[in-house]
Amino acid sequence: MELVTPEIGLVVWTALSFFILLFLLGKFAWKPILGAISERETFIEESLRKAEAAKDEMSRLTNENEALLKQARVERDAILAEAKKVKDQIISEAKEAAHTEGARQIELARIEISNQKAIAMADVKNQVASLSLEIAEKILRKQFEDQQKQDELVSQLLKEVKL
């Protein structure tokens, strides 16, 4: 039973050493430990405040980013609409220019055809006239081979001419 019930001296020395340890801890250890705990608590509170501020800042930046994205989309749509308008205008102008140039080329071709036709007609007339003269010359040569026929023609022409 000795082990279960301590002696009074042991209790006194244990109590005395406990109070001395308590005094020493209170004098030297509690203040630094409590100061460290207080610093840690302050650091944690400050970190929580900074995290909340960062969260608010992030939310604000996200809202600004979304607004900028919406604005960029609107500007992109406007630029695309303007580009489409310019493209359609360029295509329209090109079609009109091509139509005008085609009409001008057709008119030039008509004029060229008309000129070529006139030249060909003149050439045909010259050839016909040349052939007619050759034929007439051959006919007259054949007809005037005889001297008597020539004399008759000259006298007939003289009778027709009236002075």
Side-chain angles (χ1 to χ4, degrees), residues 24 27 35-36 71 77 79 97 118 129:
L24 289 174
K27 185 82 173 166
Q71 183 181 0
D77 291 343
I79 289 170

Side-chain angles (χ1 to χ4, degrees), residues 3-69:
L3 290 174
V4 176
T5 56
E7 292 183 16
I8 191 82
L10 182 62
V11 171
V12 169
W13 284 112
T14 304
L16 182 65
S17 61
F18 175 73
F19 286 120
I20 291 172
L21 182 64
L22 187 63
F23 174 73
L24 289 174
L25 285 175
K27 185 82 173 166
F28 299 110
W30 288 110
K31 285 184 184 176
I33 291 173
L34 288 177
I37 290 174
S38 176
E39 276 183 36
R40 178 76 176 155
E41 184 178 329
T42 305
F43 176 75
I44 290 173
E45 286 176 1
E46 189 175 324
S47 294
L48 286 174
R49 269 187 265 124
K50 286 181 181 177
E52 188 66 32
K55 181 180 172 186
D56 291 342
E57 181 69 17
M58 190 64 152
S59 174
R60 184 185 63 80
L61 288 175
T62 302
N63 290 339
E64 285 181 12
N65 192 20
E66 288 176 4
L68 287 174
L69 282 174

